[in-house]
Amino acid sequence: MIEWTRLGTRTGFKFQVRRARPADEPALARFFQHVTSEDLRFRFLTSLKQVGHDRLVAMTQVDDPQAEGFLAFEQDDGPIIAAGMLACDAKLVVGEVAISIDARYKNRGVGWELLGHITHRAREKGIRTLQSLENRSNSSAIELEKQFGFTAESYPGDAALVLVQKIL
Ligand SMILES: CC(C)(COP(=O)(O)OP(=O)(O)OC[C@H]1O[C@@H](n2cnc3c(N)ncnc32)[C@H](O)[C@@H]1OP(=O)(O)O)[C@@H](O)C(=O)NCCC(=O)NCCS
Protein backbone atom coordinates (compact mmCIF):
# COMPACT_ATOMS: atom_id res chain seq x y z
CA MET A 1 0.00 0.00 0.00
CA ILE A 2 1.25 3.48 -0.81
CA GLU A 3 1.83 5.58 2.30
CA TRP A 4 1.28 9.27 1.60
CA THR A 5 2.21 12.16 3.89
CA ARG A 6 0.20 15.32 3.24
CA LEU A 7 2.10 18.54 3.82
CA GLY A 8 1.23 22.23 3.68
CA THR A 9 3.65 25.12 3.36
CA ARG A 10 3.58 28.53 5.00
CA THR A 11 2.40 29.96 1.65
CA GLY A 12 -0.69 27.71 1.79
CA PHE A 13 0.54 25.34 -0.94
CA LYS A 14 -0.52 21.74 -0.33
CA PHE A 15 1.29 18.68 -1.63
CA GLN A 16 1.98 15.05 -0.71
CA VAL A 17 5.06 12.93 -0.34
CA ARG A 18 5.69 9.21 -0.63
CA ARG A 19 8.68 6.90 -0.84
CA ALA A 20 10.13 6.46 -4.31
CA ARG A 21 10.03 3.02 -5.96
CA PRO A 22 11.61 1.51 -9.06
CA ALA A 23 8.56 2.16 -11.28
CA ASP A 24 9.09 5.91 -10.70
CA GLU A 25 12.29 6.02 -12.75
CA PRO A 26 10.72 7.43 -15.98
CA ALA A 27 8.72 10.06 -14.06
CA LEU A 28 11.83 11.02 -12.09
CA ALA A 29 13.78 11.44 -15.35
CA ARG A 30 11.00 13.74 -16.62
CA PHE A 31 11.05 15.67 -13.32
CA PHE A 32 14.76 16.43 -13.66
CA GLN A 33 14.09 18.01 -17.06
CA HIS A 34 12.27 20.74 -15.10
CA VAL A 35 15.15 21.36 -12.67
CA THR A 36 17.43 24.21 -13.76
CA SER A 37 20.97 23.28 -14.83
CA GLU A 38 22.36 25.30 -11.91
CA ASP A 39 20.11 23.44 -9.46
CA LEU A 40 21.21 20.12 -10.98
CA ARG A 41 24.82 21.17 -10.38
CA PHE A 42 24.00 22.15 -6.79
CA ARG A 43 22.14 18.89 -6.18
CA PHE A 44 24.76 16.53 -7.64
CA LEU A 45 27.84 18.74 -7.04
CA THR A 46 28.89 18.25 -10.64
CA SER A 47 27.70 19.54 -14.03
CA LEU A 48 25.15 17.21 -15.65
CA LYS A 49 23.25 17.55 -18.93
CA GLN A 50 20.81 14.97 -17.66
CA VAL A 51 20.47 12.65 -14.70
CA GLY A 52 21.62 9.21 -15.82
CA HIS A 53 20.14 5.78 -15.29
CA ASP A 54 22.44 4.79 -12.38
CA ARG A 55 21.54 7.88 -10.37
CA LEU A 56 17.83 7.41 -11.09
CA VAL A 57 18.05 3.76 -9.96
CA ALA A 58 19.79 4.81 -6.73
CA MET A 59 17.00 7.30 -6.02
CA THR A 60 14.15 4.84 -6.65
CA GLN A 61 15.28 1.57 -5.10
CA VAL A 62 13.45 0.20 -2.08
CA ASP A 63 15.67 -2.55 -0.69
CA ASP A 64 18.53 -0.60 0.86
CA PRO A 65 17.99 0.51 4.50
CA GLN A 66 20.82 3.01 4.00
CA ALA A 67 19.13 4.90 1.17
CA GLU A 68 15.58 6.20 0.83
CA GLY A 69 14.17 8.35 -1.94
CA PHE A 70 11.16 10.63 -1.46
CA LEU A 71 8.92 12.10 -4.14
CA ALA A 72 6.53 15.04 -3.86
CA PHE A 73 3.37 15.50 -5.95
CA GLU A 74 0.74 18.21 -6.13
CA GLN A 75 -1.82 15.51 -7.05
CA ASP A 76 -1.46 11.80 -6.34
CA ASP A 77 -1.39 10.91 -10.04
CA GLY A 78 0.33 14.10 -11.27
CA PRO A 79 3.98 14.77 -12.14
CA ILE A 80 6.76 14.79 -9.53
CA ILE A 81 7.32 18.34 -8.26
CA ALA A 82 10.25 17.66 -5.88
CA ALA A 83 12.55 14.80 -4.98
CA GLY A 84 14.65 14.12 -1.90
CA MET A 85 17.13 11.54 -0.79
CA LEU A 86 18.30 10.32 2.62
CA ALA A 87 21.56 8.36 2.44
CA CYS A 88 22.99 6.94 5.67
CA ASP A 89 26.18 5.30 6.83
CA ALA A 90 26.19 1.57 7.54
CA LYS A 91 25.55 2.07 11.27
CA LEU A 92 22.64 4.47 10.60
CA VAL A 93 24.28 7.18 12.71
CA VAL A 94 25.00 9.84 10.09
CA GLY A 95 22.59 10.69 7.29
CA GLU A 96 22.99 12.91 4.25
CA VAL A 97 20.02 14.75 2.79
CA ALA A 98 19.70 16.14 -0.73
CA ILE A 99 16.69 17.83 -2.33
CA SER A 100 15.68 19.10 -5.79
CA ILE A 101 12.64 21.18 -6.74
CA ASP A 102 10.95 21.65 -10.12
CA ALA A 103 11.84 25.24 -11.08
CA ARG A 104 8.11 26.08 -11.42
CA TYR A 105 7.52 25.08 -7.78
CA LYS A 106 10.41 26.88 -6.08
CA ASN A 107 9.87 29.49 -3.35
CA ARG A 108 6.53 28.06 -2.21
CA GLY A 109 7.93 26.33 0.89
CA VAL A 110 8.22 22.87 -0.70
CA GLY A 111 11.97 22.61 -0.01
CA TRP A 112 11.45 23.57 3.62
CA GLU A 113 8.65 21.06 4.20
CA LEU A 114 10.43 18.26 2.34
CA LEU A 115 13.54 18.88 4.44
CA GLY A 116 11.30 18.66 7.52
CA HIS A 117 9.79 15.39 6.30
CA ILE A 118 13.20 13.83 5.64
CA THR A 119 14.54 15.10 8.99
CA HIS A 120 11.57 13.43 10.71
CA ARG A 121 12.30 10.18 8.84
CA ALA A 122 16.00 10.39 9.79
CA ARG A 123 15.03 10.75 13.48
CA GLU A 124 12.72 7.73 13.16
CA LYS A 125 15.64 5.68 11.81
CA GLY A 126 17.81 6.71 14.76
CA ILE A 127 20.11 8.98 12.76
CA ARG A 128 22.02 11.28 15.14
CA THR A 129 23.59 13.74 12.69
CA LEU A 130 21.97 14.94 9.48
CA GLN A 131 24.34 16.48 6.95
CA SER A 132 24.33 18.07 3.56
CA LEU A 133 27.26 19.03 1.36
CA GLU A 134 26.66 22.27 -0.47
CA ASN A 135 28.48 24.22 -3.12
CA ARG A 136 29.72 27.39 -1.38
CA SER A 137 27.82 29.53 -3.90
CA ASN A 138 24.50 27.76 -3.19
CA SER A 139 23.35 30.48 -0.82
CA SER A 140 19.62 29.64 -1.04
CA ALA A 141 20.14 26.07 0.21
CA ILE A 142 22.70 27.10 2.86
CA GLU A 143 20.43 29.89 4.14
CA LEU A 144 17.37 27.62 4.20
CA GLU A 145 19.29 24.97 6.12
CA LYS A 146 20.66 27.53 8.58
CA GLN A 147 17.13 28.81 9.22
CA PHE A 148 16.16 25.19 9.74
CA GLY A 149 18.78 24.80 12.50
CA PHE A 150 21.75 23.43 10.58
CA THR A 151 25.22 24.87 11.18
CA ALA A 152 27.63 25.45 8.29
CA GLU A 153 31.38 24.91 8.26
CA SER A 154 34.13 24.62 5.66
CA TYR A 155 34.52 21.17 4.20
CA PRO A 156 38.05 19.87 4.82
CA GLY A 157 39.85 19.18 1.57
CA ASP A 158 37.56 21.10 -0.78
CA ALA A 159 37.30 24.86 -0.43
CA ALA A 160 34.40 24.94 -2.91
CA LEU A 161 32.16 22.99 -0.53
CA VAL A 162 30.38 23.74 2.75
CA LEU A 163 29.32 21.02 5.20
CA VAL A 164 26.00 21.82 6.85
CA GLN A 165 24.84 19.62 9.66
CA LYS A 166 22.27 19.29 12.41
CA ILE A 167 22.34 17.12 15.51
CA LEU A 168 18.96 15.39 15.74
C1 LIG B 1 17.40 24.97 -1.96
C2 LIG B 1 16.06 24.52 -2.48
C3 LIG B 1 15.85 23.06 -2.12
C4 LIG B 1 14.98 25.39 -1.81
O1 LIG B 1 13.71 24.93 -2.22
P1 LIG B 1 12.44 25.89 -2.28
O2 LIG B 1 11.24 25.01 -2.29
O3 LIG B 1 12.57 26.85 -3.40
O4 LIG B 1 12.57 26.70 -0.90
P2 LIG B 1 11.40 27.15 0.08
O5 LIG B 1 10.34 27.83 -0.69
O6 LIG B 1 11.01 26.00 0.95
O7 LIG B 1 12.19 28.18 1.00
C5 LIG B 1 12.41 29.51 0.56
C6 LIG B 1 12.70 30.39 1.73
O8 LIG B 1 11.65 30.39 2.70
C7 LIG B 1 12.09 29.91 3.98
N1 LIG B 1 10.98 29.13 4.53
C8 LIG B 1 10.17 28.31 3.83
N2 LIG B 1 9.23 27.78 4.66
C9 LIG B 1 9.47 28.27 5.88
C10 LIG B 1 8.84 28.08 7.15
N3 LIG B 1 7.78 27.27 7.32
N4 LIG B 1 9.36 28.73 8.21
C11 LIG B 1 10.41 29.54 8.08
N5 LIG B 1 11.07 29.75 6.89
C12 LIG B 1 10.59 29.12 5.81
C13 LIG B 1 13.34 29.18 3.66
O9 LIG B 1 14.25 29.12 4.70
C14 LIG B 1 13.88 30.00 2.51
O10 LIG B 1 14.43 31.19 3.01
P3 LIG B 1 15.49 32.06 2.17
O11 LIG B 1 14.73 32.66 1.05
O12 LIG B 1 15.99 33.07 3.14
O13 LIG B 1 16.55 31.08 1.69
C15 LIG B 1 15.93 24.74 -4.01
O14 LIG B 1 16.30 26.05 -4.30
C16 LIG B 1 16.75 23.78 -4.82
O15 LIG B 1 16.26 22.81 -5.35
N6 LIG B 1 18.06 24.10 -5.00
C17 LIG B 1 18.94 23.31 -5.83
C18 LIG B 1 19.25 21.97 -5.26
C19 LIG B 1 19.93 22.08 -3.93
O16 LIG B 1 20.57 23.04 -3.60
N7 LIG B 1 19.83 21.02 -3.17
C20 LIG B 1 20.48 20.96 -1.91
C21 LIG B 1 19.54 21.26 -0.80
S1 LIG B 1 19.59 19.94 0.39
Side-chain angles (χ1 to χ4, degrees):
M1 207 185 76
I2 300 175
E3 209 175 301
W4 290 99
T5 301
R6 297 187 191 270
L7 297 170
T9 74
R10 67 173 180 181
T11 67
F13 180 72
K14 292 194 174 16
F15 66 103
Q16 49 250 335
V17 179
R18 65 164 169 78
R19 280 286 307 277
R21 48 182 193 248
D24 293 315
E25 188 187 329
L28 192 59
R30 284 194 294 278
F31 158 75
F32 278 118
Q33 289 169 2
H34 295 285
V35 174
T36 68
S37 48
E38 182 182 56
D39 282 355
L40 279 183
R41 188 166 61 84
F42 285 155
R43 164 63 179 82
F44 293 100
L45 300 176
T46 184
S47 293
L48 295 176
K49 285 213 172 66
Q50 60 178 32
V51 181
H53 174 68
D54 290 353
R55 283 193 165 92
L56 295 171
V57 167
M59 285 183 270
T60 52
Q61 51 78 37
V62 285
D63 299 326
D64 183 357
Q66 285 177 245
E68 294 184 13
F70 301 87
L71 302 178
F73 300 80
E74 192 172 2
Q75 283 110 24
D76 297 14
D77 55 355
I80 297 167
I81 63 165
M85 184 84 195
L86 174 64
C88 309
D89 66 343
K91 292 184 174 163
L92 300 183
V93 174
V94 179
E96 187 177 344
V97 58
I99 287 173
S100 310
I101 315 282
D102 180 318
R104 299 165 297 180
Y105 286 87
K106 285 173 74 171
N107 299 311
R108 299 194 201 184
V110 174
W112 179 276
E113 296 301 329
L114 190 55
L115 181 60
H117 181 72
I118 295 174
T119 303
H120 178 75
R121 177 64 187 138
R123 275 202 189 94
E124 266 181 0
K125 286 171 80 79
I127 298 297
R128 306 298 298 273
T129 305
L130 190 59
Q131 301 182 329
S132 189
L133 261 187
E134 305 298 359
N135 186 305
R136 188 169 288 283
S137 60
N138 187 3
S139 51
S140 38
I142 295 169
E143 280 313 307
L144 184 153
E145 286 163 331
K146 279 187 182 169
Q147 283 176 41
F148 201 86
F150 285 75
T151 53
E153 59 192 73
S154 297
Y155 183 66
D158 192 337
L161 298 178
V162 174
L163 175 67
V164 294
Q165 54 184 350
K166 180 176 166 69
I167 307 300
L168 301 184

